[in-house]
Amino acid sequence: MATTGPRKAPIVLALLLAAVLAAAFIPQAALAASGGVMGGRSSSSSSSSSKYRRSSSSGSERNSYYSSRTTYVSVGTPAPPSVATGAGEGPGAVFWMVAIGLVLLVAVAAYRCRPRTTVVKLQVAMLGWAKPFQQELNEIADRVRASNKPAYKLMLTETICSLSRHKDCCVFSSLSVDVKNGTDSWEEHFDEISIEERSKFDEETLYSLEGIKRTKEYSKKQDGSRNEYIVVTIIVAANGALEFPKITRPADLEAVVKKLNSIRAGDIWGIHVLWTPQEENDVLTEEKLLADYPHLRPHYDD
């Protein structure tokens, strides 16, 4: 019986160690954060593609008519007086050279005139004391139903104005710009970005997309931690190939925001605005910020 105590000691120590490790990993609720999303998007494929098809078909009809008529003349009529070419080539060769040149010009023009759509994702991390910004986003979601292009523009402008009022709280940001050409699906890329960002929320407590709104109560218990950060993500799809400066300073962020706000309502295909935390007393800690938003970079003073 005297040896029972020493044998049990390693077991007790192992249990204590397991309890300590479990305590270190269990309180994940402190790293969780509620999230809100608002916005909407339209589809350019139906109208633009049908218009493009009509233009292409009419152009091809004109080209085929011109080609058949020219072939008929060159084959069925007497040859016109010969033109000196310097290389002993006949007028038929000259015609084909001109025709090939015209085809190449048309191909280059069609390539340059392809419809382009730019998908922009601007992400900004703000210090947690910017509580009014969080509340203003909730109010924008209540007021604006993004179901058409004028509403997209209104939501973009209101969000940017609110962000600009709290620019002194902006400490990190990231920017990605993707230009989709021709048949590339900007809608698919837009949706992928939005879903990826929404999946970072522990709970989506506010949803307002395509004119449909729903809310839910945040189920996680708060641990009284200080709200360290607020992250807002602005995703915009706009007509054309847009260029934005790289963000390294606060002035660069202001330039990007100004560029976004300059997009005309008729050129905006869609906008999604996501922010976390959405609940007033929720917490977004530095640990979760670094884990979920690794592309954010700090701003350096001018």
Side-chain angles (χ1 to χ4, degrees):
M1 296 296 296
T3 59
T4 303
R7 290 179 180 178
K8 289 185 177 180
I11 299 177
V12 174
L13 290 176
L15 292 174
L16 289 175
L17 180 60
V20 172
L21 292 176
F25 288 100
I26 285 177
Q28 294 297 323
L31 301 180
S34 58
V37 56
M38 60 181 173
R41 73 161 180 82
S42 57
S43 175
S44 63
S45 57
S46 57
S47 59
S48 62
S49 61
S50 61
K51 181 178 178 181
Y52 181 76
R53 285 196 300 268
R54 288 196 299 269
S55 175
S56 300
S57 61
S58 61
S60 61
E61 289 174 1
R62 287 193 298 268
N63 291 336
S64 61
Y65 171 73
Y66 176 81
S67 300
S68 62
R69 183 180 59 181
T70 304
T71 303
Y72 171 78
V73 172
S74 62
V75 173
T77 59
S82 60
V83 179
T85 60
E89 297 176 350
V94 175
F95 161 75
W96 285 113
M97 292 176 63
V98 173
I100 293 173
L102 289 175
V103 171
L104 291 176
L105 288 176
V106 171
V108 171
Y111 178 82
R112 293 182 176 179
C113 294
R114 290 182 305 167
R116 294 184 177 184
T117 302
T118 302
V119 179
V120 184
K121 185 184 78 170
L122 173 64
Q123 207 158 55
V124 181
M126 312 172 70
L127 295 175
W129 64 64
K131 279 293 184 180
F133 176 70
Q134 183 185 26
Q135 297 167 1
E136 289 164 10
L137 291 180
N138 293 335
E139 293 172 359
I140 294 172
D142 287 334
R143 296 196 316 266
V144 183
R145 295 292 183 269
S147 56
N148 52 51
K149 290 189 174 184
Y152 300 160
K153 176 63 175 180
L154 177 60
M155 178 171 289
L156 176 62
T157 300
E158 290 295 303
T159 302
I160 287 177
C161 287
S162 180
L163 181 63
S164 299
R165 283 193 291 268
H166 304 283
K167 61 183 180 181
D168 293 338
C169 296
C170 301
V171 290
F172 302 97
S173 65
S174 68
L175 177 69
S176 66
V177 180
D178 295 285
V179 178
K180 298 299 181 180
N181 297 317
T183 58
D184 291 342
S185 175
W186 67 263
E187 294 100 332
E188 181 179 353
H189 183 62
F190 184 93
D191 292 342
E192 286 179 356
I193 296 176
S194 180
I195 292 174
E196 179 183 1
E197 295 302 325
R198 290 172 62 188
S199 66
K200 296 176 183 179
F201 302 155
D202 182 70
E203 289 186 29
E204 196 169 76
T205 51
L206 190 153
Y207 173 99
S208 181
L209 294 177
E210 311 297 341
I212 301 173
K213 182 180 178 182
R214 62 175 180 263
T215 60
K216 63 173 293 187
E217 185 177 353
Y218 191 46
S219 61
K220 298 294 182 180
K221 295 181 180 180
Q222 307 303 324
D223 62 353
S225 300
R226 181 171 60 90
N227 190 356
E228 298 185 60
Y229 294 99
I230 298 173
V231 174
V232 59
T233 304
I234 303 174
I235 309 171
V236 177
N239 186 40
L242 306 180
E243 296 182 356
F244 292 84
K246 182 180 179 181
I247 302 178
T248 58
R249 307 171 301 163
D252 298 329
L253 177 59
E254 294 182 18
V256 169
V257 167
K258 184 177 180 180
K259 176 76 172 181
L260 279 174
N261 198 38
S262 68
I263 302 175
R264 299 181 306 168
D267 290 334
I268 301 177
W269 291 113
I271 176 174
H272 281 183
V273 179
L274 307 93
W275 68 102
T276 182
Q278 188 272 324
E279 287 285 335
E280 182 178 359
N281 297 320
D282 195 11
V283 175
L284 179 63
T285 64
E286 184 175 5
E287 291 81 4
K288 183 169 179 62
L289 177 77
L290 296 175
D292 289 349
Y293 304 96
H295 300 295
L296 290 173
R297 294 293 180 267
H299 297 165
Y300 298 99
D301 296 333
D302 296 335

